[in-house]
Amino acid sequence: MRYFWLSFTAAALIFLVNIIGFIDTMTNSAMGCGSGYPLCNGKLIPDFTDYHSVIEYTHRIVVVLASLFLFVVSAISWFRYKSQTIKWLVLFAIVGILGESTLGALTVILPLSPFLLAAHLGIALISFSALANISYVIYHQEKNIRHQGRLPTSFAYISWFVFFFLYLAIYFGGYVSKTGSGGAFRGFPIPTEHFSVVGNAFWVDVIHRLFALVLVILFVILFAYAKKYHLTRPDLYRLSGICLLLIVLQALSGALLIYTHLSLGAVLVHVSIVSLLVATLSIICIQSWIKPD
């Protein structure tokens, strides 16, 4: 099981990178260490009296650790496990970390548009989801767990449709964050702000809430469909139940964002839940698509 725990640790570190990245952004600490690297404002150890430097320095350290674990897990998975699924997941993990690093660097160097900045979380979740799937596959292989049941193709289509819709909602949520529109949101579950006061932010709020409502409905449908095959694939049935719980918690965390006026803690809860939701749903999508052993 040591390979499972290694991949699990890599996934946890990528998750931590994303969370600290949000702390970095929301506290305006991205330039806490200046433009130099790896030194922090010309020093090997940051000035601990400046919390901006500490946050950015911590972010850099965790990024290095996460990248190291990711590449080690990718190499082991590629050569130890012969599954084509594992190999594709390894490629996605590497592409995801490279894409996230590139976009992160560009946000410091260039003034990017909100449309491009909104894609940051979506790209960051690629590596996390890929590593979560690698951990899932490794766990089942090391435990010699085999699923003989075959799900209908329609289940895979439904799960992938929900996944892409979720990704679209995440992108829109990222756009809301990068444009600062979220600060104008009032009331829950019905918006109470007025168009005459907040302007286009009113329609942004309405669309954002519609995304949330549709997602709750879609996850209820996915759970109901998975329940039909709970004897064939009990693992996917349990995962769909977890997804349903997470999307409800995500909606409630949206209310927390509104009532705390986008506090740092509320944002981190919101991002954490959606990260776990994407990773869990991605496992359902991958497992429903591949043929059982």
Side-chain angles (χ1 to χ4, degrees), residues 149-186:
R150 175 74 169 160
L151 293 175
T153 306
S154 57
F155 184 87
Y157 286 146
I158 290 174
S159 60
W160 278 106
F161 175 79
V162 178
F163 184 82
F164 285 120
F165 191 87
L166 174 61
Y167 235 80
L168 183 62
I170 290 172
Y171 178 84
F172 191 80
Y175 176 77
V176 171
S177 174
K178 298 305 179 182
T179 56
S181 301
F185 294 0
R186 296 290 183 273

Side-chain angles (χ1 to χ4, degrees), residues 178-200:
K178 298 305 179 182
T179 56
S181 301
F185 294 0
R186 296 290 183 273
F188 185 87
I190 306 299
T192 57
E193 68 268 25
H194 298 283
F195 178 79
S196 60
V197 177
V198 299
N200 289 332

Side-chain angles (χ1 to χ4, degrees), residues 95-200:
V95 169
I97 194 68
L98 293 178
E100 180 183 1
S101 301
T102 301
L103 188 55
L106 289 177
T107 57
V108 175
I109 299 172
L110 301 174
L112 302 180
S113 71
F115 288 101
L116 188 55
L117 288 172
H120 201 173
L121 178 59
I123 295 175
L125 289 176
I126 293 176
S127 289
F128 176 57
S129 298
L131 284 169
N133 274 274
I134 290 173
S135 299
Y136 189 86
V137 173
I138 289 177
Y139 178 84
H140 282 71
Q141 291 204 15
E142 294 295 326
K143 287 286 188 177
N144 199 28
I145 300 174
R146 297 290 183 263
H147 298 290
Q148 301 299 328
R150 175 74 169 160
L151 293 175
T153 306
S154 57
F155 184 87
Y157 286 146
I158 290 174
S159 60
W160 278 106
F161 175 79
V162 178
F163 184 82
F164 285 120
F165 191 87
L166 174 61
Y167 235 80
L168 183 62
I170 290 172
Y171 178 84
F172 191 80
Y175 176 77
V176 171
S177 174
K178 298 305 179 182
T179 56
S181 301
F185 294 0
R186 296 290 183 273
F188 185 87
I190 306 299
T192 57
E193 68 268 25
H194 298 283
F195 178 79
S196 60
V197 177
V198 299
N200 289 332

